[in-house]
Amino acid sequence: MSPPASRKHHPRSRPLPRRVPVLLVLALAAAAATVASAQLSSEDYYDASCPAALLTIRSAVATAVLLDRRMGASLLRLHFHDCFVQGCDASVLLDDTAGFTGEKGAGPNAGSLRGFNVIDNIKMLLELMCPQTVSCADILAVAARDSVEQLGGPSWTVPLGRRDATTASASLANSDLPGPTANLNGLLNAFANKGLSTTDMVALSGAHTVGRAQCKNCRARIYNDTDLDAAFAASLRGSCPARAGGAGDGALEPLDGSSPDDFDNGYFGNLLSRRGLLHSDQALFGGGATDGLVRAYASDAGRWGSDFAAAMVKMASTSPLTGTDGEIRVNCRRVNN
Ligand code: HEM
Ligand SMILES: *[C@@H]1O[C@H](CO)[C@@H](O)[C@H](O)[C@H]1NC(C)=O
């Protein structure tokens, strides 16, 4: 075939007309897929208003993870703890003030959440480039995706257009975030309350393939649970003392002892060998309805990766503030004046 004929099929001057109908169909399908995400826009949301926004977040996350690999885990968890409390509205980032109690002091968050300074730095850069344009809630969603990618996990496209809350709720943080002693029903309920399925719950739990938990959150399990490997328990007891209340409470244990900082499917393999660190981790594989899914993810990293990515998009579209609701905070730690 001659080059001119070939060019006729791919005219450089008008590449769009053929693609627009396809994009429209995809956009409509995506909009119909979940009600909660209907209001969010595509990832090009800031392309005109703040063209370097995504690149700025990506490079800041890459630097933070290079300096402290655990930070990738911490940023991912920050987004989860945002979305499960009032929706993905950056409520988790608000500091307490004299007249305001936020979520940072709630049980699941106090002395545990990390990464606030990384978000502050990103916000500072974005405010210099394009004032009051990129929301703190969108920064959290993109930073979570970029963190997973930095740690070697899957990637996905992040719908954008969230706005920031002017309120927060310590009581919802205490009631809606699942705790480390939860059993399978408790976990399923907590996720169902956010519109997330059994598959979403199991796939998202695979986030515990990275990061650390404090001794106080796994102590009861490693001293008293019976559904765990004996050698695994013995080695953990070496660094996590039985007595509560001392400095040992904060001793850090890897959530995935087989590859602590790699975003792989090792977490599910651990569950098969009864090496889940938290009681709530092992609850996914203990003779209940999710055993099959755990086995599938342990043997098929690709399937888990795509289920995880899909579930992250779902979780990230929990009750967002859009349009004229909420605001674009100037400082992620406080509401605008
Ligand atoms: C299924 C219910 C879940 C429970 C009960 C749970 C509970 C916990 C607990 C107790 C810790 C340790 C906190 C500490 O000791 O300071 C932790 C850490 C972590 N969680 Fe979860 N979590 C759950 C689901 C998730 C989900 C859905 C994600 C993200 C998609 C996630 C991401 C993380 C990460 C990355 C860490 C480590 C953070 C770090 O090292 O800074 N978790 N989780
Ligand atoms: C283990 O169980 C016993 C008996 O219920 C209890 O007294 C003890 O405090 C538990 N230990 C831990 C570390 O939770």
Side-chain angles (χ1 to χ4, degrees):
M1 197 180 275
S2 69
S6 169
R7 256 188 237 121
K8 255 182 190 167
H9 288 285
H10 306 281
R12 284 176 57 98
S13 52
R14 45 183 183 90
L16 275 177
R18 295 175 70 110
R19 296 179 61 192
V20 165
V22 177
L23 290 175
L24 273 177
V25 169
L26 287 176
L28 289 173
T34 58
V35 174
S37 68
Q39 301 163 301
L40 290 177
S41 306
S42 60
E43 192 171 291
D44 62 15
Y45 187 73
Y46 296 113
D47 279 9
S49 60
C50 195
L54 296 192
L55 186 63
T56 301
I57 299 173
R58 177 181 297 268
S59 49
V61 168
T63 303
V65 173
L66 201 66
L67 293 171
D68 168 15
R69 207 161 159 80
R70 184 186 170 200
M71 190 53 74
S74 304
L75 292 171
L76 171 60
R77 185 170 186 237
L78 215 42
H79 177 50
F80 164 52
H81 281 220
D82 180 32
C83 291
F84 264 52
V85 184
Q86 295 191 163
C88 311
D89 60 358
S91 56
V92 70
L93 300 179
L94 291 173
D95 280 343
D96 288 354
T97 66
F100 175 86
T101 302
E103 295 163 18
K104 291 182 176 178
N109 296 339
S112 179
L113 283 185
R114 309 170 72 240
F116 298 110
N117 292 336
V118 175
I119 301 299
D120 287 343
N121 287 338
I122 292 170
K123 183 59 172 171
M124 189 193 66
L125 293 171
L126 294 179
E127 284 301 306
L128 289 173
M129 295 191 299
C130 17
Q132 249 182 298
T133 302
V134 182
S135 69
C136 300
D138 276 348
I139 294 173
L140 286 174
V142 173
R145 186 270 311 274
D146 293 348
S147 292
V148 170
E149 208 183 303
Q150 281 295 320
L151 298 177
S155 191
W156 59 91
T157 302
V158 185
L160 296 173
R162 295 168 195 77
R163 290 165 61 87
D164 301 325
T166 52
T167 59
S169 175
S171 64
L172 285 177
N174 283 318
S175 63
D176 289 10
L177 286 163
T181 60
N183 59 24
L184 183 55
N185 274 335
L187 297 172
L188 289 171
N189 282 334
F191 281 69
N193 284 340
K194 304 298 167 187
L196 296 168
S197 69
T198 300
T199 301
D200 295 330
M201 190 278 282
V202 177
L204 287 170
S205 294
H208 287 179
T209 183
V210 292
R212 306 290 183 275
Q214 301 173 67
C215 164
K216 64 179 178 188
N217 284 321
C218 60
R219 175 182 282 127
R221 166 157 174 77
I222 65 180
Y223 285 96
N224 277 346
D225 278 7
T226 53
D227 59 343
L228 81 173
D229 178 82
F232 176 68
S235 101
L236 286 168
R237 286 174 192 153
S239 54
C240 177
R243 183 193 296 264
D249 278 7
L252 294 175
E253 313 293 351
L255 280 156
D256 171 10
S258 63
S259 53
D261 295 307
D262 295 333
F263 212 91
D264 57 18
N265 64 339
Y267 169 83
F268 296 101
N270 294 340
L271 300 186
L272 299 187
S273 56
R274 309 200 309 167
R275 287 176 156 86
L277 182 65
L278 305 177
H279 181 85
S280 53
D281 290 323
Q282 198 61 53
L284 303 184
F285 188 79
T290 52
D291 281 15
L293 212 41
V294 170
R295 278 204 190 87
Y297 290 157
S299 69
D300 188 345
R303 177 172 168 192
W304 169 58
S306 59
D307 282 4
F308 179 81
M312 282 295 292
V313 171
K314 258 174 99 173
M315 184 179 85
S317 58
T318 308
S319 311
L321 297 170
T322 57
T324 53
D325 291 341
E327 63 183 19
I328 306 295
R329 267 179 231 152
V330 172
N331 177 336
C332 291
R333 292 175 180 267
R334 39 182 181 269
V335 301
N336 299 337
N337 294 319

